[in-house]
Amino acid sequence: MRRKLAAGNWKMNGLMEDLEQVRSICVAHTDPAVDLLICPPVTLVSGAVKVAQGHALQIGGQDCHALGAGAHTGDISASMLRDAGATAVILGHSERRADHDESSDDVRAKARAAHAAGLMAVICVGESLTQREAANTLDIIGGQLSSSVPDTATGENTVIAYEPCWAIGTGLTASPDQIGEVHDFIRARLERRFGAGVGRSVRLLYGGSVKPDNAALIFGVSNVDGALVGGASLKQADFTPIINALEGSIHI
Ligand code: PEP
């Protein structure tokens, strides 16, 4: 049984005062039936870890360097995130692939570093609108998966987030059929590469304009084990109904 996961990506949003939202999520979900993760900007990681102490909420980073330390101004290593109390890190988000030219090889090296530091890597894959319209979606996802996921992946240390680039922050959501097709494909690829044990234990998240009003529909799709949520994770009032919908999907 894969435990469901509701993960929030705050991107470059959040000041100290927003730790109040972290506190509210903890208070609203004292005994959640799903795993909860918030990935704030790195300036808030240790503050969020303190706020979440003693609660079920886990805190993660949004990126890490592939190396442990060195002359890399502005970067942060996986072990630094772990040292600050983070337990996970988002890697290969499409905004990092686009803004920082990150390749899938870069993402694989970072994921290996995350695993070595004891972090769970949330590895993102997703096609652009042009690629979808050219009917290349599964080829793109297959290529990103094989190059971005390291051989060190297990069900405990790796989560895959399918995030169609055209659905991120746009208000557009992939249809249940589109999501199901890609998630079933990812599951089959993982099983083929890692065997049934690991392949069936890695959790698959959908991301792309998940909101309180579409969450239940998305969580009813096969092989959807939760969501990576951007905008709607910034406020507890928006994130809570998504968490509730995920908890509700356990009994479907
Ligand atoms: C994301 O940042 O990963 C994301 C899916 O954003 P949004 O939910 O805002 O589309």
Side-chain angles (χ1 to χ4, degrees):
M1 258 299 270
R2 294 182 297 272
R3 194 166 154 91
K4 308 266 181 191
L5 170 63
N9 172 15
W10 280 16
K11 312 191 185 193
M12 198 172 71
N13 297 292
L15 301 174
M16 287 299 169
E17 65 195 28
D18 296 299
L19 290 176
E20 204 42 50
Q21 296 301 321
V22 174
R23 194 182 321 279
S24 298
I25 293 167
C26 292
V27 169
H29 302 278
T30 49
D31 187 20
V34 300
D35 287 347
L36 302 178
L37 172 69
I38 288 287
C39 300
V42 74
T43 49
L44 296 184
V45 165
S46 67
V49 166
K50 279 196 195 86
V51 169
Q53 207 156 29
H55 295 273
L57 179 68
Q58 300 289 306
I59 303 299
Q62 298 176 12
D63 179 49
C64 70
H65 199 280
L67 298 176
H72 301 287
T73 304
D75 279 318
I76 182 150
S77 71
S79 54
M80 288 170 183
L81 283 174
R82 189 74 197 91
D83 188 49
T87 55
V89 61
I90 298 170
L91 295 172
H93 191 282
S94 63
E95 288 153 11
R96 291 212 56 93
R97 290 179 188 260
D99 296 353
H100 300 273
D101 265 339
E102 277 188 13
S103 68
S104 289
D105 287 345
D106 296 330
V107 176
R108 187 176 70 249
K110 290 176 178 209
R112 216 180 269 130
H115 291 165
L119 295 176
M120 181 179 78
V122 180
I123 300 175
C124 303
V125 296
E127 81 287 2
S128 68
L129 189 55
T130 314
Q131 290 163 337
R132 176 162 282 278
E133 286 173 347
N136 282 337
T137 298
L138 297 184
D139 281 349
I140 296 296
I141 301 298
Q144 288 179 344
L145 257 190
S146 48
S147 304
S148 304
V149 179
D151 290 336
T152 46
T154 67
E156 287 75 45
N157 70 17
T158 302
V159 169
I160 307 294
Y162 167 54
E163 299 207 307
C165 304
W166 49 273
I168 296 176
T170 58
L172 298 172
T173 321
S175 70
D177 281 354
Q178 290 171 325
I179 298 171
E181 180 190 34
V182 176
H183 278 234
D184 289 351
F185 172 79
I186 294 174
R187 177 70 62 214
R189 280 297 177 99
L190 291 173
E191 286 185 29
R192 196 171 80 185
R193 177 170 166 195
F194 292 101
V198 169
R200 287 186 196 155
S201 62
V202 172
R203 291 176 288 181
L204 309 185
L205 308 184
Y206 169 76
S209 299
V210 177
K211 305 286 177 208
D213 60 358
N214 61 19
L217 185 68
I218 292 166
F219 295 148
V221 177
S222 82
N223 274 314
V224 172
D225 302 309
L228 180 55
V229 183
S233 71
L234 292 171
K235 298 278 179 235
Q236 175 265 324
D238 295 326
F239 200 36
T240 279
I242 294 173
I243 295 167
N244 292 343
L246 187 59
E247 291 183 322
S249 77
I250 293 171
H251 310 293
I252 285 176

